[in-house]
Amino acid sequence: DKDLDAKLDEEAQKEAEEECDEPSGDIKFDDNKEHMNIVFIGHVDAGKSTIGGHLMYLTGGVDKRTLEKYEREAKEKNRESWYLSWALDTNEEERARGKTHEAGYAHFTSEKKHYTIIDAPGHKNLVPNMISGAAQADVAILVISARRGEFESGFEKGGQTREHAMLAKTAGVKHLVVVINKMDDPTVGWAIERFNECKDALVPFLRQVGFKLSEEVTFMPVSGLQGYNLLLPIPEGLCPWYSGPALIPFLDNLPKIIRMLDAPLSMPITDRYRDMGVIAFGKLESGQMKKGMKAIVMPNRKPIVIESILHQDREVDHAVSGDNVKLKLKNVEEDDLKPGYVICSVKEPCHVGRIFDAQIVVLEYKSIICPGYTAVLHIHSATEEIVLRGIICMVDKKTGKPDKAKGRPRFVKPGDICIARFEAAGVVCMEPFKDHPQMGRFTLRDEGKTVAIGKVLKIIEETEAAPAAPAAPAAAAEPDA
């Protein structure tokens, strides 16, 4: 009986609210080391998994015997130079093809920080997997191959270097490290000319995407296979023109990331499965959680209990904003959870809606975009089909303010910034960008390409969303979409 089910759910929620037991104060790791999530992105075969695997080895995340075993197995399959990437590419298909399919996870610790490596796939058919990987990262490492021909095919139209850098910016990474890999290749030979050639091609594009080059972007030469400039500096005489730090010391000295510790709990689910109970993965975007705590899953308002928390493959009593965790949940079935659902505080669950106003920047599209246009929305770990209901007004590129003098445009084209109203096929968990950036920025994709990036300005209640012409929201313009 549906009424009875609804009543029981309501009672369970009421009970959860009454007994809600949320952690207070700032929870810290036992050794007070900061936790940082790093994602490796870039064109297929640029060497992302190899660098990740070598970092694991250099910092003790993978021992010598395991690596020797991988080396033997790789030799047997005539894949000698791939053995380092096997530390992150764990399934047979990924190893056989040398290509990452799902976002892989691994952990290591340096002198100053705990790291979670997210190894995102580089192939253009797997961009949605890459988006969910980048959404969980604090810092993106864009891996570029310096080998002749490889950089060019990755950067030119159809290559993934451009799209990955753009998606990393949209996902909200705080810093981008561009590592120019394969500098030891015979076609390169650690030449400064080749390094500068790659750098000069990337700089205008990164500026256009919205990165502040002096504050948010760093370039460095590395060799992922040899391990040069990852933990220790490049051996003397090989690369006399580079005097900057190696990758790990550089990451260790990045400023501390400001987390939303005091905000209500919010953890988008990236995946879930059954294993002696229901297990959910995700990154805490805000708030804190502890073992035994009651929470609620949005948008289906399912009350749950957090039975145990795994962080960096060890069981912990609590987790805070910024942590990538695996949760064992009680009072819930696997079917009650989907990627894009959000585990929230019972007292202050996240907002949900189907109709919303947003500011978007149209990046590339084969023609003009008009009301009625459909695309796929990627917001945190959620994916949903959406329809453009109406264009409210253009946004002045110089001031970032809505330009209402021109009236309501009938269409937008690549390069335009506008405020528009969208309607999703299903209910989506989201927040206005000004209140919660990670839950309010999104990407629109169509036909395998990123068409626009944007941010949610206002979630419209169903009752408000009458067919009448929508008025532009007052707080509409935040110029940095």
Side-chain angles (χ1 to χ4, degrees):
D1 182 16
K2 280 184 183 170
D3 292 346
L4 184 63
D5 284 353
K7 200 172 178 191
L8 287 172
D9 269 358
E10 210 174 288
E11 281 170 14
Q13 195 184 319
K14 209 178 258 180
E15 193 183 304
E17 280 178 21
E18 282 163 14
E19 293 180 38
C20 176
D21 187 14
E22 291 192 29
S24 57
D26 194 351
I27 298 168
K28 289 191 171 66
F29 250 123
D30 309 334
D31 54 8
N32 286 338
K33 280 187 180 178
E34 190 195 350
H35 175 232
M36 182 181 273
N37 303 294
I38 55 176
V39 65
F40 284 96
I41 58 173
H43 192 63
V44 67
D45 290 340
K48 299 181 290 296
S49 299
T50 304
I51 291 176
H54 215 134
L55 282 178
M56 298 279 295
Y57 169 61
L58 293 171
T59 54
V62 177
D63 57 53
K64 201 165 175 32
R65 281 178 63 188
T66 309
L67 217 54
E68 281 166 359
K69 175 172 158 271
Y70 289 158
E71 199 165 357
R72 276 198 311 277
E73 288 174 4
K75 258 185 191 157
E76 284 164 19
K77 294 188 175 173
N78 295 326
R79 299 279 188 262
E80 270 170 71
S81 63
W82 290 358
Y83 74 99
L84 284 162
S85 68
W86 285 14
L88 288 170
D89 288 348
T90 49
N91 80 39
E92 284 302 320
E93 189 191 354
E94 289 182 351
R95 289 180 170 190
R97 296 176 62 183
K99 290 180 176 56
T100 309
H101 279 220
E102 297 161 0
Y105 295 86
H107 312 283
F108 69 89
T109 301
S110 70
E111 284 176 18
K112 294 185 180 176
K113 289 178 183 174
H114 292 287
Y115 291 94
T116 297
I117 297 180
I118 305 159
D119 181 32
H123 198 278
K124 66 179 179 198
N125 297 345
L126 302 166
V127 167
N129 301 25
M130 180 262 151
I131 293 174
S132 88
Q136 299 166 60
D138 302 309
V139 171
I141 296 174
L142 177 60
V143 182
I144 302 291
S145 168
R147 186 181 283 161
R148 290 266 162 218
E150 281 191 8
F151 168 72
E152 286 74 9
S153 68
F155 188 66
E156 276 147 25
K157 290 270 185 196
Q160 294 314 109
T161 305
R162 287 164 170 266
E163 186 166 32
H164 279 204
M166 190 160 65
L167 293 170
K169 181 64 183 165
T170 316
V173 298
K174 314 290 183 292
H175 201 95
L176 181 73
V177 184
V178 182
V179 299
I180 313 247
N181 188 26
K182 306 189 185 181
M183 289 296 290
D184 56 329
D185 190 80
T187 65
V188 182
W190 295 96
I192 187 168
E193 293 78 15
R194 182 60 172 161
F195 178 83
N196 285 338
E197 194 181 330
C198 298
K199 182 179 172 178
D200 293 345
L202 281 163
V203 161
F205 173 70
L206 294 175
R207 190 178 283 126
Q208 180 197 340
V209 168
F211 282 105
K212 294 176 188 145
L213 291 178
S214 56
E215 298 163 32
E216 297 176 341
V217 181
T218 306
F219 288 84
M220 60 178 70
V222 304
S223 163
L225 196 58
Q226 308 289 343
Y228 295 158
N229 215 28
L230 297 182
L231 181 63
L232 299 170
I234 302 163
E236 218 168 303
L238 255 189
C239 186
W241 49 268
Y242 180 76
S243 56
L247 181 59
I248 297 279
F250 174 79
L251 293 172
D252 274 352
N253 291 315
L254 278 176
K256 197 172 163 64
I257 290 160
I258 298 157
R259 308 281 186 199
M260 295 175 70
L261 293 173
D262 299 328
L265 170 66
S266 169
M267 185 194 112
I269 295 167
T270 49
D271 206 358
R272 82 286 185 227
Y273 63 89
R274 275 201 83 84
D275 178 17
M276 313 275 289
V278 176
I279 310 291
F281 292 88
K283 177 189 170 192
L284 269 78
E285 291 297 0
S286 60
Q288 312 179 11
M289 64 168 59
K290 66 178 184 181
K291 203 169 151 180
M293 173 182 153
K294 290 179 169 62
I296 188 169
V297 178
M298 296 298 282
N300 58 357
R301 306 194 75 84
K302 181 77 185 164
I304 55 164
V305 175
I306 296 163
E307 202 172 343
S308 63
I309 304 169
L310 268 178
H311 179 232
Q312 298 207 335
D313 295 331
R314 58 180 187 156
E315 195 161 329
V316 293
D317 291 334
H318 49 246
V320 300
S321 174
D323 291 347
N324 266 302
V325 292
K326 198 187 280 187
L327 307 177
K328 189 172 181 187
L329 304 174
K330 234 165 54 174
N331 301 348
V332 69
E333 291 303 317
E334 190 184 351
D335 294 346
D336 295 328
L337 306 177
K338 286 185 183 147
Y341 281 18
V342 179
I343 294 173
C344 303
S345 144
V346 175
K347 288 177 180 166
E348 292 183 73
C350 71
H351 289 97
V352 297
R354 283 180 61 239
I355 299 169
F356 62 96
D357 289 349
Q359 178 172 311
I360 63 163
V361 181
V362 183
L363 301 165
E364 57 171 310
Y365 191 59
K366 58 194 177 202
S367 70
I368 58 173
I369 292 175
C370 315
Y373 171 73
T374 58
V376 177
L377 168 80
H378 292 269
I379 182 165
H380 52 86
S381 57
T383 307
E384 193 65 71
E385 281 199 11
I386 60 156
V387 179
L388 173 63
R389 281 280 167 248
I391 302 163
I392 296 168
C393 65
M394 299 302 280
V395 171
D396 188 302
K397 288 183 194 174
K398 290 194 179 78
T399 63
K401 299 274 186 287
D403 189 352
K404 294 174 192 168
K406 289 180 182 169
R408 293 185 63 178
R410 296 207 307 275
F411 63 87
V412 284
K413 59 189 187 306
D416 286 347
I417 305 175
C418 70
I419 292 168
R421 180 161 292 185
F422 294 94
E423 183 174 349
V427 177
V428 184
C429 296
M430 61 175 94
E431 298 285 353
F433 180 86
K434 63 178 173 25
D435 301 336
H436 198 320
Q438 286 303 104
M439 296 286 289
R441 49 165 69 93
F442 62 86
T443 309
L444 296 182
R445 301 191 84 243
D446 185 18
E447 295 176 1
K449 289 192 175 71
T450 301
V451 173
I453 54 175
K455 55 190 183 182
V456 177
L457 300 173
K458 185 181 176 190
I459 301 158
I460 310 291
E461 296 301 321
E462 296 283 345
T463 49
E464 265 185 69
E478 303 231 354
D480 58 346

